[in-house]
């Protein structure tokens, strides 16, 4: 993943949680992030920062409002209204109509036809995340879905996303990877996995999962456990990919961490 501010690329992520202060303490302990409020006019929303660069957003959500605690992936759009129309036309659902966020941009929340939630960000003054693919920042996004072909068709129709493939570890099948239209395979930002092939995710239902690059996966797992998080999948090696683990924060928001194999070693 790279910071590519083009249509269909992930340009923002944020966390909805019952207690942003406690969540911020958790992520500070795992990733070293600081949480900076966007001010009282932002309704409690704020930015997670690493080394002074924004890596995510977050806010408290009252129980029963906005769904369970979760990370949300935002994809760039040049026109949030047009994206909402495309979502409906392709069989998805508009959960929150496009709205202005001050002069920063326009956002909208959606669900794809299988029910996986996602969002769009039409940049204004805020172009998106400052840092991705660096230490303790977003490095990958993975969609778990019951119908890979249908999901690929949906996101292709809405955002123009393109695909490439690679063998799955252990020759267990083919892994579908996504990239923004016209950007080529070097711009891949995520993948699509059949829900029934991953027992860890099968019980959660269709969803997007964010991966954060970390210097040491085992240290991140230990910190998460110490701070009240849950290990959903113990740290494991994936050949030519890296060492990864799946976690949840103390409120149940799911995410993954990975220490990627350097390109020269993966070749």
């Amino acid at each position: 993943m790279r910071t590519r501010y083009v249509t269909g690329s992930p340009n923002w992520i944020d966390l909805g949680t019952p207690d942003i202060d406690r969540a911020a303490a958790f992520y500070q302990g795992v990733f070293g992030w600081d949480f900076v409020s966007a001010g009282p006019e932002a309704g409690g929303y704020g930015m997670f920062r690493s080394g002074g660069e924004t890596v995510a957003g977050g806010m408290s959500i009252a129980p029963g409002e906005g769904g369970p605690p979760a990370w949300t992936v935002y994809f760039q759009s040049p026109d949030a209204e047009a994206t909402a129309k495309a979502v409906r036309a392709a069989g998805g659902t508009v959960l929150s109509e496009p709205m202005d966020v001050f002069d920063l941009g326009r956002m909208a929340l959606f669900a794809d036809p299988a029910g996986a939630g996602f969002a769009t960000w039409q940049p204004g003054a805020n172009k998106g995340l400052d840092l991705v693919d660096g230490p303790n920042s977003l490095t990958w996004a993975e969609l778990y879905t019951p119908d890979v072909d249908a999901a690929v068709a949906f996101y292709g129709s809405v955002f123009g996303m393109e695909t490439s493939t690679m063998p799955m570890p252990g020759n267990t099948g083919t892994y579908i990877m996504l990239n923004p239209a016209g950007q080529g395979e070097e711009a891949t930002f995520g993948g699509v996995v059949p829900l029934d092939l991953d027992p860890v995710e099968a019980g959660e239902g269709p969803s997007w999962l964010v991966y954060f690059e970390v210097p040491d996966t085992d240290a991140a797992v230990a910190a998460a456990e110490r701070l009240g998080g849950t290990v959903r999948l113990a740290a494991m090696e994936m050949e030519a990919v890296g060492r990864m683990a799946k976690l949840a924060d103390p409120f149940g928001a799911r995410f993954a961490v990975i220490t990627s194999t350097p390109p020269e070693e993966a070749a």
Side-chain angles (χ1 to χ4, degrees):
M1 181 182 286
R2 296 290 184 270
T3 310
R4 296 174 184 266
Y5 302 108
V6 296
T7 299
S9 65
N11 64 348
W12 194 257
I13 55 171
D14 64 14
L15 173 69
T17 180
D19 189 331
I20 191 60
D21 292 330
R22 286 180 57 196
F26 172 82
Y27 289 101
Q28 202 284 329
V30 175
F31 298 130
W33 292 348
D34 297 317
F35 183 74
V36 180
S37 171
E41 67 277 7
Y45 199 90
M47 313 301 172
F48 289 105
R49 291 182 176 166
S50 179
E53 296 186 285
T54 299
V55 292
M59 69 178 297
S60 292
I61 297 177
E65 296 182 8
W71 282 97
T72 299
V73 181
Y74 291 67
F75 299 102
Q76 180 153 323
S77 167
D79 184 333
E81 277 74 16
T83 298
K85 182 177 180 180
V87 165
R88 288 192 177 96
T93 304
V94 178
L95 302 177
S96 178
E97 294 287 346
M99 60 176 287
D100 286 324
V101 183
F102 307 113
D103 65 343
L104 302 176
R106 286 179 66 76
M107 64 163 288
L109 301 175
F110 309 114
D112 69 20
F118 67 101
T120 196
W121 180 251
Q122 177 186 333
N126 182 352
K127 67 184 183 303
L129 299 176
D130 295 328
L131 176 67
V132 299
D133 209 30
N136 301 308
S137 68
L138 179 69
T139 193
W140 196 249
E142 208 158 51
L143 174 64
Y144 294 88
T145 181
D147 189 330
V148 170
D149 290 341
V152 167
F154 172 81
Y155 290 96
S157 175
V158 173
F159 292 111
M161 292 181 189
E162 299 171 347
T163 64
S164 57
T165 61
M166 65 176 288
M168 294 186 75
N171 294 317
T172 56
T174 300
Y175 186 62
I176 305 294
M177 298 182 294
L178 300 169
N179 63 267
Q183 298 296 303
E185 293 183 22
E186 68 276 8
T188 56
F189 62 78
V192 187
V193 179
L195 190 60
D196 60 0
L197 290 188
D198 192 314
V200 175
E201 305 299 339
E204 304 291 347
S207 61
W208 283 92
L209 181 71
V210 294
Y211 281 69
F212 297 106
E213 183 72 32
V214 292
D216 184 330
T217 290
D218 295 279
V221 169
E225 285 191 291
R226 184 177 67 253
L227 295 165
T230 302
V231 179
R232 303 172 56 242
L233 177 67
M236 59 177 288
E237 295 286 345
M238 295 184 68
E239 184 180 357
V241 175
R243 185 166 179 80
M244 58 84 65
K246 292 183 176 180
L247 307 171
D249 71 19
F251 300 102
R254 294 174 286 127
F255 64 99
V257 294
I258 186 168
T259 304
S260 299
T261 301
E264 62 270 18
E265 295 181 21

